[in-house]
Amino acid sequence: MTWGTSVQEFATTPLAILPAVFFATLPPLLEELGWRGYALDRLQLNWSALTASLILGVVWSVWHLPLFFIEGSFQHDSIGFGTAGFWLFTVGIVALSPVFTWVYNHTARSILVVILLHGWINFTAETIEVADVFYYGSWILLATLLVVIWGPKTLTRANDVPHPPLGDER
């Protein structure tokens, strides 16, 4: 494990931390309002929490695909399209989805907690360099453990997942 580029530059240029702070705030806020704040609730109406998470994880992974072709993005410059890192990143995002669902369902559908988790993950990815196999492998292991411990139906001990209030059907 080593410090990321932004942290190494921070000693001489304090503003070098700004990209890490940006990726820890705005993208998680915008993404999670859609992924967990809207889509996950609808998916969990028809599928188990695990299935809903995997569907959302695949869509979330595809969402990041264009970044691999944009120079200056973390995905383009640090990972690269079609590399082993690309496949680990792709699978890692799918694995993160059940973890985020577990947090979402265990916090009575708190978008704020999921935004903070997403932001923390982005921030640590920007500031600490960890071997990809270990980093993404830990997410896969965590997702697997959560499914084994809590069960795929709700990823909680409850029989049903928390749902948004249903609108008036008049």
Side-chain angles (χ1 to χ4, degrees), residues 24-53:
T25 55
L26 188 60
L29 173 69
L30 298 175
E31 284 185 35
E32 295 309 331
L33 288 174
W35 299 140
R36 264 40 79 169
Y38 180 80
L40 182 61
D41 283 334
R42 274 93 191 137
L43 289 168
Q44 288 189 113
L45 288 172
N46 297 311
W47 288 290
S48 71
L50 178 60
T51 302
S53 297

Side-chain angles (χ1 to χ4, degrees), residues 2-80:
T2 60
W3 291 112
T5 306
S6 61
V7 175
Q8 292 172 15
E9 293 175 8
F10 183 66
T12 57
T13 310
L15 294 179
I17 200 74
L18 289 180
V21 171
F22 170 79
F23 287 110
T25 55
L26 188 60
L29 173 69
L30 298 175
E31 284 185 35
E32 295 309 331
L33 288 174
W35 299 140
R36 264 40 79 169
Y38 180 80
L40 182 61
D41 283 334
R42 274 93 191 137
L43 289 168
Q44 288 189 113
L45 288 172
N46 297 311
W47 288 290
S48 71
L50 178 60
T51 302
S53 297
L54 295 176
I55 291 168
L56 189 55
V58 169
V59 173
W60 188 22
S61 182
V62 171
W63 166 266
H64 287 88
L65 188 60
L67 294 173
F68 286 93
F69 302 99
I70 299 173
E71 286 189 39
S73 72
F74 170 76
Q75 288 81 355
H76 179 275
D77 296 350
S78 298
I79 300 174

Side-chain angles (χ1 to χ4, degrees), residues 109-120:
R109 301 176 45 249
S110 174
I111 298 297
L112 178 60
V113 173
V114 177
I115 290 169
L116 292 172
L117 174 61
H118 190 158
W120 179 250

